[in-house]
Amino acid sequence: RKEVEQDPGPFNVPEGATVAFNCTYSNSASQSFFWYRQDCRKEPKLLMSVYSSGNEDGRFTAQLNRASQYISLLIRDSKLSDSATYLCVVNEGGGADGLTFGKGTHLIIQP
Amino acid sequence: DAGVIQSPRHEVTEMGQEVTLRCKPISGHDYLFWYRQTMMRGLELLIYFNNNVPIDDSGMPEDRFSAKMPNASFSTLKIQPSEPRDSAVYFCASSRPGGPNQPQHFGDGTRLSIL
């Protein structure tokens, strides 16, 4: 059974702080990893892909730890607009049928 | 460019009625996905199509659910008869050719309430 686990939160973080959360996956054969962002009552939107060597996009850094089977998302200098639910997505490869979404981590940035 | 278009945005109906949800994927995307999202179960993949052909429907909860994709620009998800436990947000998503590394683009979703 495919399992993608996330801490549901909420994470309450003051504006300007750095926050990080992880996502664990159960299938060691998983090949592709993504972070999606979902605002309240909106659709999920791709935030960033996660590459083996780790990658950065502005204030966001994503990392993959294959040995421990988790991916992480770090947000620096958090903004009020970062408040959202962050969904971890794992694809086991070989087609789209291995795509599994975590239930998300709810982040609240407080002024 | 137009994104994934879903209709209706909201649907409220009584149990036992037939419900039809519609989706227009992004032009040029050859994968189309139907998801259901609830607080309890999160986002669940129901079925997906590649080049209009259903590839995996193992996520479809039961025979009351059916999905079709008659052409590259249109898909439907039908529930007949509907039950209160079907209440959820239903998302359609599409992605480009290229397999698992391609991100999925979601529509705005249909909020379905079965009374």
Side-chain angles (χ1 to χ4, degrees):
Chain A
R1 181 183 172 183
K2 307 168 193 174
E3 295 281 348
V4 176
E5 301 287 343
Q6 295 183 253
D7 182 341
F11 283 47
N12 289 284
V13 176
E15 189 177 10
T18 295
V19 60
F21 29 85
N22 294 338
C23 163
T24 60
Y25 59 95
S26 60
N27 190 336
S28 59
S30 299
Q31 297 183 12
S32 302
F33 308 88
F34 308 90
W35 284 104
Y36 278 69
R37 170 192 169 130
Q38 186 172 23
D39 293 295
C40 186
R41 302 180 72 82
K42 297 285 190 180
E43 75 278 17
K45 292 184 179 179
L46 178 70
L47 178 66
M48 58 197 301
S49 302
V50 185
Y51 302 122
S52 296
S53 56
N55 48 298
E56 190 174 301
D57 183 2
R59 297 180 294 108
F60 297 83
T61 300
Q63 291 192 314
L64 168 64
N65 185 317
R66 284 195 182 275
S68 300
Q69 294 183 204
Y70 74 87
I71 65 172
S72 64
L73 180 67
L74 183 143
I75 306 174
R76 289 182 299 278
D77 187 23
S78 53
K79 313 290 185 189
L80 295 177
S81 58
D82 294 334
S83 298
T85 297
Y86 291 83
L87 304 171
C88 168
V89 184
V90 177
N91 192 313
E92 295 175 358
D97 54 344
L99 201 63
T100 303
F101 281 76
K103 292 187 180 178
T105 294
H106 188 39
L107 175 65
I108 301 171
I109 306 299
Q110 297 174 327
Chain B
D1 290 340
V4 175
I5 299 172
Q6 290 187 245
S7 65
R9 291 291 302 275
H10 304 272
E11 175 91 13
V12 181
T13 191
E14 292 185 346
M15 64 178 293
Q17 298 297 308
E18 178 178 293
V19 173
T20 299
L21 311 181
R22 298 173 177 80
C23 175
K24 177 180 168 56
I26 294 172
S27 178
H29 285 194
D30 66 350
Y31 281 90
L32 183 141
F33 308 84
W34 282 102
Y35 292 90
R36 176 173 69 176
Q37 187 174 39
T38 61
M39 288 291 292
M40 288 296 295
R41 300 174 68 90
L43 200 62
E44 301 174 281
L45 178 65
L46 300 177
I47 184 172
Y48 81 94
F49 297 82
N50 181 218
N51 291 320
N52 314 338
V53 177
I55 303 301
D56 183 3
D57 66 353
S58 60
M60 296 284 262
E62 48 198 90
D63 292 345
R64 297 184 297 107
F65 286 68
S66 62
K68 295 181 180 179
M69 191 166 186
N71 57 63
S73 59
F74 184 66
S75 177
T76 60
L77 177 68
K78 188 171 293 187
I79 309 172
Q80 167 63 23
S82 58
E83 297 182 4
R85 60 193 167 119
D86 301 331
S87 298
V89 181
Y90 290 80
F91 287 106
C92 175
S94 68
S95 68
R96 290 192 178 112
N101 289 324
Q102 294 299 320
Q104 295 185 11
H105 299 260
F106 285 75
D108 292 337
T110 295
R111 295 188 174 276
L112 178 64
S113 296
I114 307 298
L115 306 177

